[in-house]
Amino acid sequence: MPDQRITTLYTPHHMAHAPAVEFLHGHKATYFEKPQRLDEIHGHLQQAGLATIQQPEAALPVEVIKAVHDPEMVDFLQEMSAQAVAIVRTDLEMYGMGDQVSHDPYYYEWMYPKRFFKGQRDPRDRRRYFIFDSTAPIGKGTWQAVYESANLAYVGAEMLVSGAEKQVYTMCRPPGHHAGRDYMGGYCFLNNAAIAAHTLRTLGKVAILDIDYHHGNGTQDIFWNDANVLFISIHADPAVEYPYYSGFADETGSADSRNATLNYPLPHGSTEAEYLHTLDQAVAHIQDFAPSALVISLGFDTYKEDPMAEFELDLGSYTKIGQRIAALGLPTLYVQEGGYYIPALGAMAVSFFRGVLNR
Ligand code: SP5
Ligand code: ZN
C-alpha cells in the first residue's frame, strides 16, 4: 500500500528574505530566488492532495548549525542580519540617500567577495571572507529566514531518526547546497541538506543525492573527507556552468574517503533520456554504498523552461525521477534547493511527488 501523502514541512518565515535584484552581466536583474517559488509549490501540492503540510516549531540548536558550519561564520551571519539596516543607512547617508532606507525595509548589505584571494584570515575581513559571490545579500530578515529554513531540514531529519516518518519533504528557502563550512553564496547561507545529513548520521551511513541543476559545491566540501557520507551529484558541466570551479568528474573525495564523492557533469541541452541514464548509475552507487538514510537536494532548475539553466527535462520527467529515488526504499528527506521557472514549479513538485508516492 503506497503512502497516500508526503509529510511536508513549511514555514512562512522564508518571506522575511526577499532581495529585489541581483546582477547579471553588468545589469541589474530581478532576484531569481523569490518567495513566490514556495507559494507556487505549496499551493499545487495542497490542491493535488499529495501533501500533509505542517509548520514545525523552532527546534534546531545553534550548536548543530555550528557543528556543520564554522561557528564564526554563523555568528557573522546572525550579526550582519541584525545590523543590516543600520549599516545600509549609514552607507546611504554617505551617498546623500539616507531618506530612502526608512521607506524600504528590504535593504540588503551587499558583500564584496574575496574568497579566492584569501591568505591568512584577517578578522577585519569578515564581510568578504565568508562570501564567495554577490548573490547572497544579508538583510534584516535573512537570519530568521535562513534559520527557519535549516530548522525544517533538521526537524524533518529528526522525524526519520525517530522512525515517525519514512519520507519527508522540507520546503527550504533560502536553499543551501552552495554554502560550505565557512562560505555563503549562490543564494545559499546555511547548508540545509548538510545539516540534515549530519543529523541522520545517528542512523548510520548517509547518502546525499544532489539533483539540482548546479553542482552542490558546498555540500561536497563539507563531506569531502567523510567516508560515511556519500555525496553524489548530477549537474550541468562546471566547465560551462555555475559554480564553474567545482563538480568535475575527477572530484571523488579525499584519500581516506575515495569514491564517497561522485560527480556526473552533463552537457547543456541534456535530455530526459540522458538524465535518467545517469540517474540510474547514481542510484546503483547509492545501493552499493548501503546507507541507512538518504537526503535528496531537490532542485527544479533542470526544467526545460528554467531561466538560468539549459537542460531539457519536462514535467513528466520528474515523476520518473521520483519513482527511481523512492524505489531505493530508504528513509528519505527531500530538501528543496533551486528551481526558478515559477509558473511551473508547482506542477514539477506535483509530478515529482506523484512518482515518489506512486500515485
Ligand atoms: C541554489 C541555486 O540553484 N543557486 C544557483 C545560483 C546561480 N547563480 C548564477 C548564475 C549565473 C549563471 N549564468 C550562466 C549562464 C549559462 N547558461
Ligand atoms: Zn541550482
Side-chain angles (χ1 to χ4, degrees), residues 62-85:
V62 174
E63 297 71 52
V64 171
I65 303 175
K66 290 181 174 177
V68 171
H69 290 284
D70 184 336
E72 286 185 48
M73 185 194 88
V74 179
D75 291 342
F76 164 74
L77 173 57
Q78 194 167 4
E79 285 168 34
M80 280 302 296
S81 192
Q83 296 166 14
V85 172

Side-chain angles (χ1 to χ4, degrees), residues 141-216:
T142 300
W143 170 256
Q144 186 185 27
V146 160
Y147 173 84
E148 295 282 350
S149 180
N151 181 62
L152 300 182
Y154 173 76
V155 171
E158 288 287 11
M159 287 173 157
L160 300 183
V161 168
S162 72
E165 299 286 347
K166 190 76 194 295
Q167 305 197 84
V168 177
Y169 172 43
T170 58
M171 292 180 64
C172 292
R173 186 185 166 271
H177 74 151
H178 296 304
R181 186 172 160 72
D182 64 358
Y183 57 84
M184 305 177 269
Y187 311 144
C188 300
F189 300 85
L190 297 178
N191 194 313
N192 307 308
I195 288 168
H198 171 85
T199 304
L200 289 165
R201 282 281 290 117
T202 60
L203 289 174
K205 293 194 293 182
V206 176
I208 303 168
L209 172 62
D210 189 324
I211 57 171
D212 187 276
Y213 173 79
H214 304 97
H215 181 242

